[in-house]
Amino acid sequence: MSQLDKQDPRTQFPQPPYPPQSQELPGGTNAMDPKPDHGETSYVGTGRMPGYRVLVTGADSGIGRAAAIAMAKEGADVALNALPEEQEDLEEVRDVIGDLGRKAVILPGDLTDETTCERIVAEAVSTLGGLDSLVLVAGHQKVNEDITTTSTEDFDLTVKVNLYAMFWLCRAAVPHMAPGSTIVTTASVAAYQPQTRLLDYGMTKAGIITFTNGLAGQLASKGIRANCIVPGPIWTPLQPASYDSAEIEHYGEGTPFGRPGQPVELGAAYVHLAGPESSYTSGSTLTIAGATGMAL
Ligand code: NAD
Ligand code: MG
């Protein structure tokens, strides 16, 4: 079965309960059971991003890996960023894309540093020969049950990864972008309905939507578009690295489809917003949350 075959969304992918499991942040793909589907074999490309040169952050795992693989299968060359300690996951993605006959370069680096953000954009431009799309998927969340025990360091890290890095990367990328280029950011349904134990995370995700919307208006005069994907619960390393094992066993069970989404189920949305077919779409959000609406 491929992604283009009509299927029942309730049973299309593994449903909970899942085996007990937990990880430390940032988490890794190979420790997950079941292994997430990033479209390595299931995604079918139809030539929607011919020759596009794309920088993807968070490209080693989860949603970013699925976005990178989908865009490569649609004809794009990609530069892949993640944390240096995620080298193993990054290399797997590079090899999958290399086997497709597309160019893939890995650019590890911690995005909480302004200079690193600028270096990664510069290296993407020089290795790909230009930049047609900036796809920002990297994100950080850490559970803090009570504001009185939430450290300034934790709050600062969430804001640095989710907001500052977005600003630094966009600022560095825009001068390299010709008319027709695109920016795609990644928020969360937590922007609308924050989890009480993820106060800082929900706040930054609302900020990403607002920033993207405003940036779209600002960049329209340059012919550059900006849009935001808003995921609901998706089966990625971020979850076992955030929640305890008992919760992960039942992750997504209470949602209308009775399961979390798989990363591959977001791939086509990134392709749509990053590529040429969405030419009149800018300042939009696209929610992919399995009928959960805002009530997660
Ligand atoms: P993931 O763990 O696979 O991806 C997150 C990635 O962020 C990591 O792989 C890492 O490479 C990157 N990252 C974190 N800190 C970084 C730093 N300091 N420097 C560079 N990179 C850093 O998990 P995912 O679920 O695929 O997350 C991707 C995006 O989707 C995130 O922005 C997340 O907030 C968002 N999201 C996820 C869900 C979900 O249920 N999985 C729901 C809503 C939104
Ligand atoms: Mg990762």
Side-chain angles (χ1 to χ4, degrees), residues 2-296:
S2 91
Q3 223 203 355
L4 299 186
D5 293 308
K6 180 178 169 187
Q7 294 176 65
D8 183 337
R10 298 168 298 178
T11 52
Q12 189 171 350
F13 290 102
Q15 298 147 289
Y18 301 125
Q21 57 201 292
S22 66
Q23 297 196 42
E24 296 297 315
L25 279 169
T29 305
N30 292 320
M32 291 194 75
D33 182 13
K35 198 167 177 207
D37 185 342
H38 313 94
E40 288 90 341
T41 55
S42 57
Y43 187 90
V44 181
T46 54
R48 295 159 71 194
M49 295 183 72
Y52 266 62
R53 299 157 298 182
V54 187
L55 169 58
V56 187
T57 69
D60 61 309
S61 58
I63 297 167
R65 183 191 285 217
I69 289 172
M71 292 188 289
K73 287 194 174 187
E74 300 289 357
D77 292 332
V78 287
L80 309 164
N81 165 258
L83 285 162
E85 59 261 42
E86 298 179 301
Q87 182 86 13
E88 181 188 333
D89 266 350
L90 262 183
E91 287 177 359
E92 270 187 31
V93 185
R94 179 196 59 194
D95 293 346
V96 168
I97 292 173
D99 288 347
L100 298 169
R102 300 312 315 177
K103 186 170 185 174
V105 290
I106 57 174
L107 302 175
D110 186 333
L111 299 177
T112 60
D113 178 63
E114 181 173 1
T115 314
T116 303
C117 289
E118 290 167 356
R119 171 180 64 78
I120 283 162
V121 169
E123 287 181 1
V125 170
S126 64
T127 53
L128 300 178
L131 191 65
D132 303 301
S133 187
L134 175 66
V135 175
L136 303 180
V137 189
H140 172 79
Q141 71 176 30
K142 184 180 172 204
V143 166
N144 274 301
E145 297 288 349
D146 194 312
I147 191 168
T148 61
T149 54
T150 301
S151 71
T152 299
E153 288 73 23
D154 279 356
F155 185 86
D156 190 54
L157 181 57
T158 307
V159 178
K160 280 269 161 49
V161 178
N162 297 356
L163 291 179
Y164 273 82
M166 172 178 65
F167 164 63
W168 288 327
L169 290 163
C170 290
R171 188 179 62 183
V174 164
H176 298 285
M177 293 180 139
S181 301
T182 53
I183 294 171
V184 184
T185 60
T186 306
S188 166
V189 290
Y192 307 121
Q193 175 115 5
Q195 286 189 43
T196 56
R197 58 188 172 168
L198 290 171
L199 284 186
D200 51 359
Y201 177 79
M203 174 196 77
T204 59
K205 291 297 175 178
I208 290 169
I209 293 172
T210 305
F211 177 88
T212 308
N213 208 346
L215 188 67
Q218 187 185 107
L219 295 181
S221 63
K222 298 182 197 290
I224 301 171
R225 297 182 291 110
N227 292 288
C228 184
I229 304 264
V230 182
I234 311 297
W235 185 245
T236 73
L238 195 61
Q239 307 310 340
S242 298
Y243 305 121
D244 64 32
S245 187
E247 205 167 328
I248 290 303
E249 281 183 67
H250 300 283
Y251 187 68
E253 203 169 75
T255 65
F257 289 157
R259 65 167 179 90
Q262 289 292 323
V264 67
E265 297 182 281
L266 289 89
Y270 282 90
V271 166
H272 176 65
L273 293 177
E277 69 192 21
S278 56
S279 52
Y280 201 61
T281 307
S282 197
S284 293
T285 56
L286 203 170
T287 299
I288 301 176
T292 55
M294 293 188 287
L296 262 191

